[in-house]
Amino acid sequence: MTEQQFIPPPYSKFVDSGSVTWQSPSNIALVKYWGKKHHQLPENPSISFTLNHCKTITTLTYSKKADPSAFDFEVFLDGEKKDDFKSKIKTFFERVEPYLPFLKHYHFKIETRNTFPHSSGIASSASGMSALALCLMSVENELSAGTSTVETSFFNQKASFLARLGSGSACRSIEGDLVVWGKHQQIEGSSDLYGVKYPYNIHPNFKQYQDTILLVDKGEKQVSSTVGHNLMHNHPFAAKRFEQAHQNLEVLITILESGDIKSFIQLIESEALTLHAMMMTSLPFFILMKPNTLEVINRIWKFRAETNANIGFTLDAGANVHVLYPKAEADQIMDFIKNELVGFCQGGQYICDEIGFGASRVS
Ligand code: DP6
């Protein structure tokens, strides 16, 4: 697949107006995307668990307009007009317009809400951009109906391709339960252009995996993703890091097949700490962990050493901790989280999530 294949043939149908709703989840990377090239192309392949409960629900209402000279849209979050979201969406529209040539012909009302608190420090760009991309795909489907109704696999692939142009990690939110984005030698069908469902065997140990998100710091992101990814340009360890991500993904294939949870935990924790190490060793440098992030990590390690429980963590580009563990151990581990970790969360807040299977249309 090349970009060209996402340019549609002329639309066959005239549609005056309509409305469509999609819900799309967030995802948590196991091997991290950190560093990108032009056009939202990743410097290295990444893989993530799709989440189930942290979602964005977006309704796109569209009506034909007479003057197709510019984009025309308004954005609402929880019913409130959000003009500060417009520049990000305008950039997205500019990037995807070659692939969605109807964009300037309609007025759009974008109404969106998240199932998780906006000020939770959980990025809504993955769920938000993927939900919007899916809504736009449904509009395109309407315009194309009658000729060849777009097949699900192409629909998902193009939705992922479009979502990537909004936010890289968003391309991993269309499907589940594990999604790979970025070309990897050993992973058939993998591409820098869009995410693909992980194509190989996954041991039952990794089915229904749990993710309890500890909200250590609910503040705005200290480093925007654009600034963050740019830190990898001229980074002294960049080349080695990109190579390591390829190797880690290769090792993960074996782990996912064998069900070796101990190796899994070692790999994801190393990825999380490497992500933060990249930030600490770039110029300018950042420390995105808070003292409570380290407290949580040390408690997890201590509890694991004492009980042999299969509890591990990963981090995003922030202070919150994603605690990952198999469902079979949920009772014991949730007790530990409630008794020992919740005290380190801002306002005692945490979110219980688990692996999910991707976005769905809401009727
Ligand atoms: C640390 O997808 O938010 O979460 O492409 O600039 O929108 P943009 O970046 P974004 O970066 C996510 C980085 C990460 C790791 C990951 O999800 O793989």
Side-chain angles (χ1 to χ4, degrees):
M1 272 282 185
T2 65
E3 279 101 335
Q4 298 303 313
Q5 281 161 279
F6 294 112
I7 298 175
Y11 298 127
S12 57
K13 238 177 107 184
F14 178 86
V15 179
D16 195 47
S17 62
S19 174
V20 57
T21 302
W22 277 86
Q23 54 177 14
S24 189
S26 187
N27 66 71
I28 180 68
L30 305 172
V31 172
K32 308 287 181 183
Y33 149 55
W34 197 243
K36 64 179 163 183
K37 303 180 246 198
H38 279 307
H39 308 297
Q40 292 284 106
L41 295 169
E43 288 278 13
N44 64 259
S46 57
I47 184 167
S48 52
F49 274 151
T50 304
L51 296 182
N52 197 28
H53 302 309
C54 288
K55 285 179 192 162
T56 297
I57 300 142
T58 298
T59 297
L60 183 71
T61 307
Y62 51 100
S63 51
K64 193 97 181 175
K65 63 186 174 77
D67 175 14
S69 63
F71 299 120
D72 182 11
F73 63 93
E74 41 188 351
V75 196
F76 296 82
L77 175 68
D78 296 326
E80 219 176 278
K81 203 158 189 228
K82 280 280 175 193
D83 285 338
D84 45 329
F85 284 14
K86 285 188 87 169
S87 75
K88 194 161 185 199
I89 294 178
K90 185 164 177 264
T91 305
F92 172 59
F93 276 10
E94 282 162 359
R95 287 184 191 154
V96 298
E97 204 210 354
Y99 312 102
L100 297 172
F102 63 84
L103 281 182
K104 283 185 178 152
H105 295 264
Y106 286 87
H107 167 80
F108 296 101
K109 183 178 182 192
I110 303 163
E111 291 169 287
T112 188
R113 67 183 173 87
N114 298 322
T115 59
F116 49 91
H118 183 58
S119 60
S120 58
I122 297 187
S124 56
S125 66
S127 53
M129 283 297 175
S130 53
L132 182 56
L134 285 157
C135 288
L136 292 168
M137 279 307 294
S138 288
V139 178
E140 170 154 277
N141 220 5
E142 279 294 313
L143 298 171
S144 318
T147 46
S148 60
T149 306
V150 186
E151 273 181 47
T152 313
S153 62
F154 180 78
F155 184 97
N156 283 344
Q157 199 171 68
K158 183 165 174 183
S160 175
F161 170 83
L162 298 172
R164 185 200 97 233
L165 291 167
S167 175
S169 56
C171 79
R172 299 189 311 238
S173 278
I174 308 293
E175 293 179 276
D177 39 358
L178 273 158
V179 176
V180 178
W181 167 41
K183 183 81 199 132
H184 187 277
Q185 273 269 308
Q186 264 75 39
I187 301 181
E188 228 180 295
S190 60
S191 167
D192 283 352
L193 297 179
Y194 44 78
V196 295
K197 195 174 154 66
Y198 178 73
Y200 305 129
N201 267 349
I202 302 170
H203 191 278
N205 283 352
F206 299 113
K207 303 277 175 184
Q208 297 183 295
Y209 225 70
Q210 306 289 300
D211 179 4
T212 301
I213 309 163
L214 305 178
L215 305 181
V216 169
D217 182 38
K218 303 195 288 170
E220 279 288 303
K221 270 194 184 177
Q222 202 183 318
V223 182
S224 76
S225 61
T226 311
V227 172
H229 289 287
N230 281 339
L231 296 174
M232 292 307 280
H233 293 140
N234 303 317
H235 191 292
F237 308 133
K240 200 71 204 160
R241 159 59 197 157
F242 302 144
E243 191 187 315
Q244 179 200 40
H246 281 268
Q247 285 160 358
N248 278 348
L249 195 40
E250 186 171 347
V251 172
L252 193 58
I253 298 174
T254 319
I255 293 174
L256 290 172
E257 163 108 46
S258 67
D260 178 356
I261 302 187
K262 301 279 179 236
S263 301
F264 176 79
I265 291 170
Q266 187 178 59
L267 188 143
I268 60 163
E269 291 187 350
S270 164
E271 273 289 320
L273 296 175
T274 301
L275 169 71
H276 282 254
M278 290 299 112
M279 282 179 248
M280 288 190 231
T281 50
S282 52
L283 274 178
F285 41 75
F286 297 94
I287 299 182
L288 300 185
M289 289 189 236
K290 297 284 183 202
N292 281 351
T293 312
L294 286 178
E295 277 292 342
V296 166
I297 291 173
N298 280 312
R299 300 249 171 172
I300 289 174
W301 285 345
K302 185 162 174 278
F303 177 73
R304 192 162 76 210
E306 285 166 2
T307 62
N308 204 29
N310 287 308
I311 180 172
F313 71 86
T314 188
L315 306 166
D316 262 343
N320 295 335
V321 182
H322 289 249
V323 186
L324 300 179
Y325 50 96
K327 182 153 175 105
E329 296 178 45
D331 288 348
Q332 183 199 13
I333 291 175
M334 266 320 290
D335 279 348
F336 162 67
I337 290 174
K338 284 182 194 156
N339 295 334
E340 286 210 41
L341 302 185
V342 168
F344 299 110
C345 299
Q346 215 181 328
Q349 270 190 287
Y350 61 98
I351 297 173
C352 292
D353 212 329
E354 59 187 345
I355 286 198
F357 293 89
S360 58
R361 190 166 170 172
V362 182
S363 53

